[in-house]
Amino acid sequence: MAKKMVAIVGRPNVGKSTLFNTLAGDRIAIVKDTPGVTRDRIYADCEWLDHKFTIIDTGGIDKESDDIIMRSMREQAEIAIETADVIIFVTDVRSGVTAADMQVSDMLRRSRKPVVLCVNKVDNYDKFEPYIYEFYNLGIGDPYPVSASNMIGLGDMLDKVLEELDLGDVEEEEDDTPRVAVIGKPNVGKSSIINKLLGSDRLIVSDIAGTTRDAIDTRVKRNGKEYVFIDTAGLRRKSKIKDDIERYSIIRTVAAVERCDVAVLVIDADQGVTEQDTKIAGIAHERGKGMIIAVNKWDLIEKDTNTMNKMKREIQTKLAFMPYAKMLFISAVTGQRLPKLYDTIDSVIEYSCMRVQTGVLNEILAEAVAAADPPSDKGKRLKLYYMTQVSVKPPTFVIFVNDKELSHFSYVRYLENKLREAFLFEGTPIRIIIRERTKKSDSLI
């Protein structure tokens, strides 16, 4: 089930990024005492009381400003509000309720989303208590006094967030229909691909980059089998900030990837793999999704006998962190190789759901150890006891060892390669978790 999303919004310079960093447990967002520093929406996974959700940091909402960047930041925050399941509205106790706060509260009421009102910078509750009550005037509900920088009052606020998320509800009936997120930069042909698969212009297609602003679900039936294609807004480079509101749709892409089984990264054959393509691919890789790389507009490329191999080598080099990805060279205009996309999706899903018996896994582990000794340090050698698979989507394995500090990443990668040699696992990442076991007498290897 996809993670719920919580957006952190408010006017500039109230401490949104500080709160985001504190909840994320890392200094991910830039923090500076100047309004408008956070221009990009940033996301991170957060966990509270064993419940996981994704938090979204946004730039400040300044409805009065006509500045291009401020206007784009406002659009960014509006997209976050539309996408989020719950909104944390951050205000500043030292400034009191401002006209900008009132405007933001009006926007949030119109969204009809659950809102948790956070009054930030309450470093001393006794000192600021009389000023907290002023925030009832926003008409949002009870204010939760916190100090993001000093980690004060966050527990009560997060309890309220979980309450609004309704995480305790019974999960919806599982839908086994394969979900495919079509992701990539603007104007690479994402909507055109889905339209060609549909055989009709179901989605809006335009040569203007970023026509698609929402993540749109489209059901497609082929040979009696249904698929759900999720068309997402394109992502742009940071240098393209001016008036490029579609760049702020990254959270919609993240949300689409969260709930998909397979992500299809569409690359423009003429441009090759760009830096932004690698960032988009990383979103799916980090979330353990099956991956297909579709090189579109292949019909426009002048070819010789080595053209396809050259492009494959470029992809493998620039996307070296996901060598498992399946590649297709397609044309949304002519339909070249598009039918093969269905077969590739089916194959990737099959591998991502594959389970391997523990006995077979340990045979492979024993052979791998016999072929290459585990690493050692200061006379102490890594000893591998046994391996077992604990989950799918992606296939996840746990290896019990004597000392996980000895498990060098290169040896873990070696074990992953051995698994792929045995079972392929094409199109899906593999997760290997190393855990220590104290009962060394149970060693199987």
Side-chain angles (χ1 to χ4, degrees), residues 167-428:
L167 294 172
D169 287 356
V170 178
E171 291 189 3
E172 297 178 8
E173 197 172 308
E174 197 68 32
D175 182 2
D176 293 331
T177 307
R179 294 185 176 273
V180 184
V182 184
I183 60 178
K185 300 181 304 181
N187 210 28
V188 292
K190 299 184 297 297
S191 298
S192 298
I193 289 171
I194 298 178
N195 286 338
K196 194 69 175 181
L197 293 172
L198 282 169
S200 63
D201 289 339
R202 171 74 174 274
L203 305 180
I204 300 172
V205 181
S206 168
D207 288 333
I208 301 172
T211 300
T212 303
R213 290 282 298 281
D214 295 304
I216 305 169
D217 287 10
T218 306
R219 284 189 175 266
V220 181
K221 183 174 284 189
R222 178 179 183 265
N223 296 335
K225 184 173 182 178
E226 276 196 346
Y227 303 81
V228 175
F229 284 90
I230 308 167
D231 183 35
T232 58
L235 313 183
R236 300 199 77 144
R237 298 192 305 274
K238 289 185 178 180
S239 60
K240 299 283 189 177
I241 186 169
K242 291 188 177 180
D243 282 334
D244 283 341
I245 295 166
E246 71 275 1
R247 179 173 65 83
Y248 295 127
S249 298
I250 186 170
I251 292 304
R252 285 191 174 130
T253 299
V254 172
V257 169
E258 282 279 9
R259 57 194 178 91
C260 79
D261 300 299
V262 177
V264 178
L265 173 63
V266 183
I267 292 174
D268 189 317
D270 190 45
Q271 296 178 16
V273 182
T274 66
E275 180 184 354
Q276 192 67 358
D277 289 322
T278 64
K279 293 178 181 178
I280 299 168
I283 293 173
H285 175 72
E286 289 170 3
R287 281 158 172 72
K289 302 299 181 177
M291 174 61 72
I292 298 170
I293 299 170
V295 183
N296 192 26
K297 307 180 185 180
W298 193 242
D299 56 310
L300 303 179
I301 301 298
E302 292 187 16
K303 306 174 186 68
D304 57 35
T305 55
N306 197 41
T307 305
M308 185 176 289
N309 288 332
K310 184 179 178 182
M311 177 63 78
K312 284 182 177 179
R313 287 194 296 271
E314 179 187 344
I315 293 172
Q316 289 167 348
T317 299
K318 294 186 177 180
L319 300 179
F321 59 90
M322 50 191 313
Y324 55 83
K326 297 280 286 183
M327 294 185 211
L328 283 178
F329 293 79
I330 64 172
S331 169
V333 174
T334 66
Q336 180 184 12
R337 297 192 187 89
L338 268 185
K340 193 175 180 182
L341 181 61
Y342 290 107
D343 297 331
T344 307
I345 290 168
D346 291 342
S347 173
V348 170
I349 291 175
E350 182 179 350
Y351 280 118
S352 69
C353 295
M354 179 184 289
R355 286 190 178 274
V356 184
Q357 293 181 347
T358 299
V360 177
L361 286 174
N362 285 290
E363 288 178 12
I364 295 170
L365 187 61
E367 292 173 3
V369 171
D373 288 337
S376 62
D377 183 42
K378 297 177 182 178
K380 186 176 182 181
R381 184 170 297 280
L382 177 70
K383 184 177 292 187
L384 294 88
Y385 297 136
Y386 66 94
M387 179 196 300
T388 187
Q389 184 173 358
V390 293
S391 65
V392 296
K393 291 186 179 181
T396 303
F397 305 89
V398 173
I399 301 177
F400 290 89
V401 302
N402 59 332
D403 185 351
K404 66 180 183 180
E405 295 298 324
L406 298 173
S407 57
H408 195 271
F409 75 90
S410 61
Y411 198 78
V412 176
R413 176 62 59 87
Y414 162 72
L415 295 175
E416 176 183 334
N417 291 336
K418 287 299 181 182
L419 286 172
R420 291 191 184 279
E421 285 177 17
F423 305 107
L424 295 181
F425 287 115
E426 291 181 339
T428 180

Side-chain angles (χ1 to χ4, degrees), residues 8 19 23 48 88-90 116-119 144-146 152-164:
I8 301 174
L19 177 62
L23 297 181
W48 180 249
I88 298 177
F89 176 20
V90 183
V116 177
L117 177 57
C118 168
V119 182
Y144 285 81
V146 308
I152 297 172
L154 298 180
D156 290 341
M157 183 196 72
L158 288 172
D159 287 344
K160 180 63 175 177
V161 169
L162 292 186
E163 180 185 323
E164 296 292 352

